Amino acid sequence: MATLQFNLPSITWPRHRQLSRSNLRPVHCAAERQELFNRIAPVYDNLNDLLSLGLHRVWKRMAISWSGAKEGDTVLDVCCGSGDLAFLLSEKVGIKGKVIALDFSKEQLQVAQSRQRERLKACYKNIEWVEGNAVDLPFSDLTFDAATVGYGLRNIIDRHKGLMEISRVLKPGSKVSVLDFNKNTHPFTTSIQEWLLDNVVVPVASGYDLASEYQYLKNSIREYLTGDELEKLALESGFSAAKYFEINFGLMGNLVTTR
């Protein structure tokens, strides 16, 4: 596990249908978490900016860089939420590439789709939004050149199966970049992280009447895996190499694995 300090200065898929407002399939997995993300969808982007002081945009660009995605690639964003990583991937792969962005939250996908309509870059037209299950990906084996997961693996109940599914659909030699909160093994950093959650995140979320929804964050981080555990899990899930990076003084982390 490595520590990285950062100072701010068309393909036709045979196994799924493309998302539209009139064609959304319910996904029956982790129902309570699915409902939680549906509830926070309308203010999710605003809260991310407020709570991270905009730094989440820097961390996400780092995650995209680690994915190895390049022009012309076909790439996958799992647990895409409102689409931040998908839009960044689109810029990487360009108009000759393809981005498939999958999430189990219908409302998050609708926000992402709305954002796509408002953006003018030609490359953003290459994004396809799919409502689906991260532990049962509706894609053929060896399909994608790269993959990302942003703040999503922590919320997958069966993480081993989730990583196995990503490994299955990736081409040999491809990478997946997994960005999330870091479960720190250092008591001092852990106490800072928990103080921020209790005294910044939850109070700010309460202004949107979402205090209980964001209280879930603290428990989910406690139940998450350390960097060493994530590296081990990745190797057990079919990846040939795995490296975990702590970023932003250990508050965030990024797992980089190779198929």
Side-chain angles (χ1 to χ4, degrees):
M1 181 177 68
T3 300
L4 178 64
Q5 304 292 2
F6 186 86
N7 295 318
L8 185 65
S10 174
I11 293 174
T12 301
W13 304 100
R15 294 174 59 191
H16 75 265
R17 294 175 292 175
Q18 187 170 358
L19 175 72
S20 68
R21 289 187 180 274
S22 60
N23 185 30
L24 288 167
R25 295 178 292 112
V27 181
H28 301 290
C29 73
E32 290 184 2
R33 298 185 185 191
Q34 184 180 18
E35 178 57 30
L36 183 151
F37 282 96
N38 284 338
R39 289 197 301 272
I40 68 176
V43 297
Y44 184 68
D45 292 324
N46 288 339
L47 278 174
N48 282 344
D49 281 327
L50 282 171
L51 296 173
S52 72
L53 301 178
L55 281 171
H56 73 101
R57 300 181 185 278
V58 178
W59 305 329
K60 287 170 180 175
R61 288 191 178 276
M62 294 169 69
I64 294 299
S65 179
W66 271 317
S67 75
K70 60 187 183 301
E71 187 173 359
D73 278 352
T74 298
V75 297
L76 174 66
D77 183 27
V78 179
C79 305
C80 67
S82 60
D84 277 358
L85 287 180
F87 289 118
L88 292 173
L89 281 170
S90 177
E91 293 173 4
K92 275 285 186 181
V93 303
I95 59 175
K96 294 182 180 179
K98 181 73 175 180
V99 180
I100 302 297
L102 177 141
D103 203 279
F104 68 173
S105 169
K106 175 175 64 177
E107 280 76 7
Q108 290 276 6
L109 289 169
Q110 288 177 340
V111 171
Q113 198 174 47
S114 175
R115 294 176 70 193
Q116 183 184 32
R117 287 193 295 267
E118 295 169 355
R119 300 188 175 203
L120 301 178
K121 283 188 179 180
C123 63
Y124 295 147
K125 296 179 181 178
N126 70 7
I127 305 173
E128 180 181 339
W129 311 101
V130 177
E131 185 181 4
N133 189 339
V135 297
D136 186 20
L137 296 175
F139 312 113
S140 301
D141 296 356
L142 311 178
T143 295
F144 297 99
D145 299 296
T148 56
V149 188
Y151 300 98
L153 185 62
R154 173 174 42 86
N155 296 305
I156 297 174
I157 292 176
D158 191 342
R159 301 184 188 107
H160 177 62
K161 189 172 181 181
L163 284 175
M164 286 183 65
E165 275 292 276
I166 296 174
S167 176
R168 176 183 66 79
V169 302
L170 279 178
K171 297 175 183 177
S174 299
K175 292 181 180 180
V176 56
S177 179
V178 182
L179 172 67
D180 216 313
F181 288 94
N182 178 46
K183 182 177 180 178
N184 214 293
T185 56
H186 306 292
F188 178 70
T189 307
T190 299
S191 66
I192 292 176
Q193 189 179 61
E194 293 193 349
W195 185 90
L196 288 170
L197 290 170
D198 289 337
N199 296 280
V200 179
V201 173
V202 173
V204 170
S206 68
Y208 292 81
D209 198 26
L210 293 170
S212 60
E213 283 81 356
Y214 275 80
Q215 184 65 44
Y216 158 79
L217 262 179
K218 188 173 181 178
N219 292 331
S220 72
I221 295 171
R222 283 178 175 172
E223 295 169 1
Y224 197 37
L225 303 177
T226 65
D228 290 339
E229 290 169 338
L230 284 169
E231 289 178 350
K232 183 174 183 290
L233 180 64
L235 296 175
E236 292 172 348
S237 302
F239 292 93
S240 63
K243 186 72 173 178
Y244 186 82
F245 299 91
E246 291 186 349
I247 56 179
N248 206 57
F249 306 102
L251 296 177
M252 300 292 153
N254 203 106
L255 174 69
V256 183
T257 70
T258 303
R259 169 75 161 79

